[in-house]
Amino acid sequence: MTTKLLFYPGCSLQRTARPYLDSLVAISPLIGIELEEIQDWNCCGATEYIAIHHLASHALVGRNLALAAQQSNGTHTVMAACSACYLNLAKTDSYMQVNAQLNRQVNDALQAGGLHYQPGTVRIRHLLDIIVNDIGIEEIRTQVVRPLKGLRIAPYYGCMIARPDRDNRWDNVEHPLALDKLMKAIGAEVIDFPLKTHCCGGHMTQINMPTAYELIRRLVYGAAQYHADLMVTLCPMCQLNLDAYQSEMNRHFHTSYHMPILYFTQLLGLAFGLEPEVLGLGKEFVNASQALSRIGIEVPATELELEMVENKPARKKKEKAGLPMPQMRHSEEEDE
Amino acid sequence: MMSKINHSTTERVGVYVCHCGSNIAGVIDVEAVAQWAAEHLKDRGVVIARDYKFMCSSLGQELIEKDIQELGLTRVVVAACSPHLHEATFRVACQRAGLNPYLCELVSIREQASWVHTDKHAATEKAKAIVSGGVERVLHHTPLDPLHVPIHPATLVVGGGIAGIQAALEIADAGFPVYLVEREPSIGGHMAQFDKTFPTLDCAACILTPRMVSIGSHPNVTLMTWSEVTNVAGYVGNFTVTVKKKARYINTDLCTGCGICQEKCPKKVIDDTFEAGLGYRKAVYTPFPQAVPKYPVIDHVNCTYFQKGTCRACEKLCPTDAIDFNQEDEIVTLQVGNIVLATGYDLFDARRVAQYGYARLANVFTSIEFERLSNAAGPTNGNIVLRDGVTVPKTVGIIHCTGSRDRNFNNYCSAICCMQSLKFAHLVKERTGATVYNFYIDIRTTAKAYDEFYQRVLEEGAIFVRGRVAEVTDASRMPNEEGKLIIQVEDTLAGLQRRIPVDMVILSVGLEPRRDSHEVAKLFGISCSSDGWIIEKHPKLDPVATMTEGVFVAGCAQGPKDIPNSVAQGAAAAARVLGRIQQKEIALEPVRASVDESKCSGCRICNGLCPFNAIIFHEDRMVTEVNPALCQGCGTCVAACPAGAISGTVFSNEQIFAQMEGLLLHNIEHPPLTEGVLA
Ligand SMILES: Cc1cc2nc3c(=O)[nH]c(=O)nc-3n(C[C@H](O)[C@H](O)[C@H](O)COP(=O)(O)OP(=O)(O)OC[C@H]3O[C@@H](n4cnc5c(N)ncnc54)[C@H](O)[C@@H]3O)c2cc1C
Ligand code: SF4
Ligand code: SF4
Ligand code: SF4
Ligand code: SF4
């Protein structure tokens, strides 16, 4: 069975997050996803526009929604892979539903282009939500031909998809487990990453570098403390901030972290046996080849080879048997 | 709709319209309502209509009594507050004047008119309609006599926590038999797990154990532990209760409680109940050394013999041959007149606040774990240490309101955890000298000697940070945070974000209703709130009775409270029960449903609906019957019966239709429905 989706790629996937798009396109047929791109879509306004012009930012998104509603043949589900796109689309749709004035204003604006959008017509969902809740982890497991055994992963959700929780999609909004479970299903070792929903810096990289560096440092440092081989993201902005600014951050703090940041779709592709090149691997700034070669996957050299000395802090002491540790419910089921 | 009112009446009706100070008169023109009734309802039998400041006052009641005697009233309608409040008052007044109390009708023009409307004219018209409805209805009333049932002198107390213990002892001391049914192997409840009790810091065991012993040895108390109530039939004064005594696999006639079996049993299990998961017990065990009764139980789920067929070490070593692997569950039937429910509380599951890290971060503890940790008889002999079992913490953070006062979990305040947190702060300081932080929203120390205890803890140097903790994390940012648990909090007094590294975190988790409270409530025919706390008859004036006659509630089963309040409520419930027993019989309201067997089709639609389990089905005749002693006259079955076979005294179809006709009387000016006044 294939799941047909109206696909809103967003600007990032065209350029900086090309590996995300490539890997998504590569794995889609394997997991039964059929992508139909929304014709003539435009920018979602990213994180900044809503702070500058409220109505215009909603009208901008409204146009995408109107186009999607028009085009919907056989599906009403609009999928965005970028968390910021997802949030903006979802936000405008739900604001229009509850705010009649906004609904009117947006539709007035859309009329100039001969468009109209009835809020609630399409269902806006993030790629991770679709994969985990519709395709299902069991289905993913059946596709795995090369389990990522031995790869230690920090699952990083960012702040935009779990909160607020539209339609109860996530098990826990403060400490979600969907990506954790997905990564375990493809054989990776997943750390209990305490910073999984913390801020990646957002647009601070554009307006206040020291703040951005500190936010990036916290995440990379956190993952390194747990001896993660790499961090997995589901958002182009998170990936860009943590990957592209990592070396600058290191310079700023006189540190030498080397924490590759990959898209979860890239790892799914690897586990499904696809070739690294097809999945856009090797395009990241912080080279993942070393981490991946540990599990026998050879990645072409990155375009920008950065020499970094690895300097891992001593491994955390394992908790010795003392008082019994309370068990998470269903822990066996998750850890198998 | 039935035909217009055209039949005449010979009844003499008195109408009394109450001002309720300004509660009613502020919105409704009560004089006009009375005048209107006197004029327009004359042909409906109204011979007198009056308004009065407070009808429920003794002067107001005397007014009715005088009219009954002097004007020969045969029916009375009072238009005032809700029948919940004063129906009984006016019925008794009529009775005093020699009129059958059920010929009095109280209609509400306060809750249903003056309190919910602002348009005075419309509200006045609505009040007229309500009065008219009451008059039509009361014409169809018939004189009724209360039912008298005898009261069985024995009492069932369910739950052997401090509240149940108190209730049982009071009743037993007064000379009446008590059955105390407890689900666990020992009585004691949560209090038995504690080390010290606030605010006096007396040792919990020292004050609890003597009472437990009294229960065990009292000639009037039949103690059934490791037992559960499985069925309740009957009604106030005459309950038949079925109790399942789970197999203990110990012959209690032979067992001396020597403890050799526990010592020698090779199977060690984590004790999730008494030790809150922090310690171990054996497959054969008593939860704690002072347990009452002293006999152990064999937990067959974990016992090697039951699981694998070999072992029987306990049997071999028991000096009195008390081990009996062939024992089976025993079903006992009890006859009791009253029931006290004292089933207590469960604790909020801290895993649900994922950002506080419980069950992920080793050194995050719950309050009940800390009670065991600090208990001299606990798994660490009272040493306050981290989960490695040896390291003494140097800094400890106590997080208040975990799961309470939180829209995501429970809205309510759990009432005891501020004091419990202060108790912990004191104990940590005293035993370890560690720096202690309390993270609170508000400090709630309202009972006697509680605030003084707070002052004391402040003086001892505990640090208080006002703000709800955002997160407990092991993700350090600074070298000084490495290896610590970091508490991220907005300090709302200092107006800044703080990160406070600590070694140990204690979550003061809230109190929640028992997980099975809805099932238990159903079993006993009572109701609980949507949260699951048992609903009392009146939150202020009757906090120990329930809506079901003969079933009382005590302790935390009714809502979060501390030990003094649990004990007080246990004693209060006992006093109510004793009052009942002393009366020897009880008068029941004759407001009852009854089934016309010739009309009943046997469809059984009504059978599952009765909230008081009053409906019986006779398989042989395929008809339903309502047990009048159990029925509380709620009317659910009357409305549900598709055959119209059930009718209720005081709420028969004739009465309800007549009331509707009265409400729709043509000569009332029906104002425009802008406000929706004709609800
Ligand atoms: C960590 C902590 C510390 C506290 N410290 C203090 C303190 O220092 N001072 C103070 O005043 N208060 C303290 N309290 C509050 C105190 O625990 C309660 O006020 C008190 O225990 C309430 O007693 P109870 O009998 O109502 O309930 P419980 O103690 O819960 O007893 C209920 C009993 O009923 C049994 N039961 C439940 N369901 C059934 C069933 N269906 N059938 C048969 N049996 C059943 C249970 O097994 C249990 O034995 C503290 C609470 C907590 C959580
Ligand atoms: S060894 Fe026998 S007598 Fe001693 S406690 Fe166990 S069952 Fe009772
Ligand atoms: S038979 Fe069961 S209870 Fe007895 S000693 Fe063996 S494991 Fe323990
Ligand atoms: S008693 Fe204190 S800690 Fe407990 S819920 Fe109320 S305010 Fe919070
Ligand atoms: S609903 Fe009416 S007809 Fe059906 S069983 Fe009950 S009384 Fe009889």
Side-chain angles (χ1 to χ4, degrees):
Chain A
M1 207 195 67
T2 52
T3 305
K4 190 167 170 179
L5 302 167
L6 288 164
F7 178 40
Y8 177 83
C11 320
S12 309
L13 265 72
Q14 284 186 314
R15 294 280 179 275
T16 52
R18 193 74 205 192
Y20 198 5
L21 180 69
D22 292 345
S23 53
L24 169 60
V25 169
I27 64 166
S28 287
L30 296 177
I31 56 175
I33 285 182
E34 188 189 326
L35 301 172
E36 182 176 317
E37 186 169 345
I38 296 170
Q39 298 300 313
D40 195 30
W41 57 269
N42 55 259
C43 170
C44 77
T47 54
E48 294 85 355
Y49 200 25
I50 196 161
I52 294 166
H53 199 299
H54 188 72
L55 177 59
S57 74
H58 285 302
L60 196 66
V61 177
R63 181 171 179 277
N64 291 316
L65 295 172
L67 291 173
Q70 230 172 36
Q71 191 179 333
S72 68
N73 50 352
T75 176
H76 289 282
T77 303
V78 171
M79 183 275 282
C82 165
S83 303
C85 297
Y86 157 74
L87 188 65
N88 283 337
L89 293 168
K91 210 187 306 191
T92 298
D93 186 43
S94 62
Y95 285 7
M96 282 174 74
Q97 283 183 46
V98 296
N99 182 341
Q101 193 192 1
L102 179 72
N103 185 11
R104 199 165 8 84
Q105 288 172 330
V106 168
N107 272 307
D108 282 350
L110 292 182
Q111 212 175 10
L115 289 171
H116 180 83
Y117 179 65
Q118 171 70 34
T121 313
V122 293
R123 281 166 54 82
I124 296 121
R125 301 179 57 187
H126 188 271
L127 175 63
L128 178 69
D129 169 24
I130 303 261
I131 291 186
V132 172
N133 295 321
D134 290 9
I135 310 293
I137 290 191
E138 280 320 306
E139 176 59 28
I140 298 293
R141 217 190 293 273
T142 62
Q143 294 295 325
V144 175
V145 296
R146 177 164 57 186
L148 306 183
K149 279 250 155 1
L151 197 63
R152 244 174 107 80
I153 285 177
Y156 179 58
Y157 298 73
C159 62
M160 285 189 286
I161 67 162
R163 289 171 303 211
D165 188 8
R166 285 164 49 98
D167 312 334
N168 263 326
R169 286 178 192 151
W170 309 110
D171 40 14
N172 190 305
V173 294
E174 302 287 349
H175 201 79
L177 292 170
L179 182 60
D180 298 50
K181 289 179 188 161
L182 186 63
M183 289 295 110
K184 279 182 195 165
I186 60 169
E189 190 184 333
V190 180
I191 67 163
D192 180 25
F193 191 38
L195 303 166
K196 53 170 74 162
T197 55
H198 280 224
C199 177
C200 72
H203 58 215
M204 283 299 149
T205 46
Q206 314 307 311
I207 56 180
N208 187 326
M209 282 318 288
T211 304
Y213 289 147
E214 171 56 16
L215 292 169
I216 293 166
R217 184 193 73 87
R218 286 177 193 174
L219 290 169
V220 173
Y221 174 53
Q225 264 188 319
Y226 271 87
H227 306 287
D229 294 323
L230 48 86
M231 272 168 85
V232 173
T233 69
L234 36 81
C235 170
M237 184 164 65
C238 298
Q239 201 279 341
L240 184 73
N241 281 351
L242 295 172
D243 183 35
Y245 293 93
Q246 201 174 110
S247 61
E248 273 185 53
M249 179 276 288
N250 273 327
R251 225 169 293 132
H252 183 80
F253 288 112
H254 307 290
T255 51
S256 54
Y257 295 106
H258 182 91
M259 181 59 64
I261 319 290
L262 296 183
Y263 292 104
F264 79 108
T265 42
Q266 294 180 297
L267 293 188
L268 289 179
L270 286 177
F272 297 162
L274 300 177
E275 287 313 310
E277 293 84 348
V278 185
L279 300 166
L281 280 160
K283 295 214 169 96
E284 65 279 2
F285 288 89
V286 181
N287 189 333
S289 57
Q290 209 177 345
L292 293 176
S293 70
R294 191 165 312 156
I295 59 164
I297 295 171
E298 289 315 320
V299 184
T302 52
E303 289 158 13
L304 215 119
E305 284 285 359
L306 283 170
E307 260 316 302
M308 298 240 172
V309 194
E310 238 188 294
N311 179 13
K312 282 190 176 171
R315 212 175 169 96
K316 273 195 179 175
K317 252 217 308 296
K318 255 239 152 101
E319 228 78 51
K320 283 259 166 48
L323 299 163
M325 178 70 186
Q327 295 298 304
M328 272 320 252
R329 265 179 273 119
H330 318 303
S331 56
E332 299 96 293
E333 176 207 314
E334 273 156 28
D335 290 339
E336 94 294 17
Chain B
M1 195 70 237
M2 286 198 155
S3 60
K4 286 260 161 58
I5 308 159
N6 49 17
H7 39 86
S8 63
T9 177
T10 55
E11 300 297 349
R12 298 175 64 76
V13 185
V15 171
Y16 300 87
V17 185
C18 184
H19 296 220
C20 197
S22 62
N23 272 306
I24 297 173
V27 179
I28 291 169
D29 184 348
V30 284
E31 285 163 39
V33 174
Q35 248 171 36
W36 177 87
E39 283 167 32
H40 290 86
L41 300 177
K42 209 179 276 166
D43 62 329
R44 305 305 306 137
V46 173
V47 294
I48 181 82
R50 299 182 191 272
D51 61 279
Y52 189 71
K53 260 229 146 12
F54 293 105
M55 280 310 299
C56 61
S57 67
S58 50
L59 289 175
Q61 296 184 46
E62 279 164 23
L63 211 60
I64 302 180
E65 290 170 47
K66 215 161 119 251
D67 285 352
I68 293 175
Q69 276 150 0
E70 291 176 2
L71 302 175
L73 298 185
T74 60
R75 297 284 191 274
V76 168
V77 173
V78 183
C81 49
S82 155
H84 268 302
L85 209 61
H86 276 308
E87 189 172 63
T89 312
F90 297 114
R91 280 185 176 164
V92 171
C94 290
Q95 192 167 29
R96 274 198 302 268
L99 187 68
N100 184 288
Y102 297 95
L103 299 177
C104 168
E105 174 76 9
L106 173 58
V107 291
S108 167
I109 56 166
R110 191 178 76 172
E111 285 80 351
Q112 293 183 357
S114 70
W115 276 359
V116 289
H117 300 299
T118 46
D119 180 336
K120 294 185 181 181
H121 175 65
T124 303
E125 292 305 309
K126 179 172 172 180
K128 289 179 189 171
I130 291 175
V131 169
S132 161
V135 169
E136 290 308 323
R137 177 178 183 149
V138 83
L139 293 175
H140 288 81
H141 281 205
T142 47
L144 299 170
D145 290 317
L147 275 70
H148 291 275
V149 293
I151 301 243
H152 194 287
T155 305
L156 168 71
V157 177
V158 185
I162 187 62
I165 290 178
Q166 183 71 24
L169 282 180
E170 300 261 354
I171 298 168
D173 284 345
F176 297 101
V178 177
Y179 300 100
L180 178 54
V181 173
E182 165 60 53
R183 165 186 287 174
E184 296 297 325
S186 169
I187 55 170
H190 281 100
M191 193 176 164
Q193 294 172 280
F194 306 158
D195 183 36
K196 295 274 167 38
T197 52
F198 62 72
T200 46
L201 296 178
D202 27 6
C203 132
C206 313
I207 56 178
L208 177 65
T209 319
R211 303 218 163 181
M212 290 169 55
V213 172
S214 302
I215 289 278
S217 59
H218 206 296
N220 288 337
V221 179
T222 308
L223 178 57
M224 300 184 195
T225 55
W226 204 233
S227 300
E228 270 177 73
V229 175
T230 56
N231 192 42
V232 181
Y235 44 87
V236 55
N238 296 280
F239 292 106
T240 306
V241 179
T242 316
V243 178
K244 180 168 99 178
K245 292 176 83 174
K246 291 175 275 183
R248 265 191 134 89
Y249 306 109
I250 306 288
N251 182 337
T252 51
D253 292 334
L254 297 176
C255 173
T256 59
C258 69
I260 289 177
C261 52
Q262 302 195 50
E263 202 181 299
K264 301 296 181 193
C265 171
K267 182 66 197 254
K268 201 163 135 183
V269 263
I270 292 179
D271 181 356
D272 280 325
T273 312
F274 188 77
E275 294 291 6
L278 212 59
Y280 300 89
R281 61 164 169 81
K282 296 293 184 64
V284 52
Y285 72 105
T286 50
F288 50 104
Q290 303 86 346
V292 171
K294 62 192 171 190
Y295 320 118
V297 297
I298 293 181
D299 154 19
H300 64 88
V301 179
N302 284 301
C303 164
T304 317
Y305 171 66
F306 278 104
Q307 295 311 319
K308 303 215 173 96
T310 55
C311 177
R312 308 187 93 146
C314 51
E315 189 184 43
K316 277 168 225 141
L317 294 162
C318 172
T320 61
D321 290 334
I323 306 277
D324 177 4
F325 289 112
N326 297 321
Q327 247 178 27
E328 279 175 14
D329 292 353
E330 195 187 331
I331 305 294
V332 195
T333 309
L334 309 174
Q335 221 53 54
V336 296
N338 291 283
I339 297 174
V340 178
L341 289 179
T343 49
Y345 62 92
D346 273 326
L347 285 161
F348 173 80
D349 182 1
R351 293 167 180 85
R352 292 173 64 196
V353 196
Q355 63 270 33
Y356 288 178
Y358 182 69
R360 286 197 290 118
L361 305 172
N363 291 317
V364 177
F365 291 80
T366 63
S367 48
I368 198 72
E369 282 183 316
F370 184 82
E371 286 287 357
R372 295 311 300 152
L373 205 56
S374 62
N375 194 310
T380 58
N381 303 321
N383 291 321
I384 296 172
V385 288
L386 300 183
R387 218 172 281 267
D388 65 6
V390 288
T391 313
V392 178
K394 294 198 183 63
T395 38
V396 176
I398 303 172
I399 303 182
H400 292 218
C401 306
T402 305
S404 307
R405 307 182 67 196
D406 185 334
R407 288 210 276 170
N408 298 310
F409 307 106
N410 294 317
N411 278 325
Y412 56 81
C413 164
S414 289
I416 58 96
C417 17
C418 272
M419 279 302 285
Q420 161 252 295
S421 302
L422 294 171
K423 172 174 80 174
F424 290 178
H426 166 83
L427 291 177
V428 170
K429 275 235 154 283
E430 184 188 67
R431 307 247 176 102
T432 66
T435 307
V436 183
Y437 291 91
N438 276 263
F439 300 91
Y440 69 100
I441 313 178
D442 300 290
I443 295 284
R444 297 195 165 168
T445 50
T446 50
K448 186 173 171 183
Y450 282 13
D451 212 58
E452 291 88 325
F453 186 73
Y454 175 31
Q455 300 304 328
R456 170 178 170 184
V457 174
L458 277 171
E459 272 156 31
E460 286 169 357
I463 301 165
F464 287 77
V465 179
R466 182 169 168 276
R468 190 185 270 293
V469 169
E471 161 174 78
V472 177
T473 181
D474 61 343
S476 58
R477 288 183 196 161
M478 309 294 165
N480 72 327
E481 295 178 349
E482 213 134 331
K484 301 262 183 185
L485 293 171
I486 304 106
I487 295 177
Q488 172 91 42
V489 62
E490 181 187 358
D491 184 331
T492 56
L493 294 182
L496 45 87
Q497 280 286 338
R498 293 177 72 176
R499 285 173 67 82
I500 298 175
V502 297
D503 299 319
M504 174 191 255
V505 170
I506 307 168
L507 303 177
S508 292
V509 288
L511 270 48
E512 285 193 337
R514 288 279 175 195
R515 310 268 184 262
D516 61 353
S517 67
H518 287 279
E519 291 97 86
V520 170
K522 191 149 190 298
L523 186 64
F524 290 91
I526 56 168
S527 28
C528 35
S529 62
S530 54
D531 304 321
W533 302 109
I534 291 176
I535 297 180
E536 59 286 327
K537 190 159 190 180
H538 191 285
K540 284 154 244 170
L541 302 179
D542 206 350
V544 294
T546 66
M547 284 296 190
T548 299
E549 292 284 347
V551 180
F552 299 89
V553 59
C556 289
Q558 181 245 2
K561 55 178 69 67
D562 55 13
I563 294 168
N565 277 312
S566 299
V567 170
Q569 214 180 8
R576 293 290 295 276
V577 169
L578 289 170
R580 279 280 167 75
I581 299 173
Q582 235 105 35
Q583 285 170 358
K584 298 206 168 54
E585 65 167 30
I586 181 174
L588 296 182
E589 281 252 19
V591 181
R592 296 289 177 267
S594 61
V595 181
D596 179 346
E597 288 196 4
S598 63
K599 286 191 192 163
C600 173
S601 68
C603 72
R604 307 193 67 163
I605 284 176
C606 60
N607 289 196
L609 295 176
C610 177
F612 306 99
N613 299 333
I615 297 179
I616 324 154
F617 189 71
H618 296 289
E619 298 277 356
D620 46 343
R621 288 179 286 131
M622 292 299 282
V623 288
T624 286
E625 191 194 328
V626 172
N627 180 339
L630 269 183
C631 172
Q632 305 281 319
C634 73
T636 309
C637 59
V638 181
C641 177
I646 316 183
S647 67
T649 42
V650 190
F651 51 92
S652 66
N653 282 349
E654 292 77 44
Q655 285 163 326
I656 301 293
F657 283 132
Q659 185 167 25
M660 280 156 58
E661 283 180 36
L663 278 164
L664 299 169
L665 203 67
H666 56 87
N667 56 353
I668 296 168
E669 182 199 333
H670 288 227
L673 288 172
T674 44
E675 221 198 334
V677 286
L678 280 174

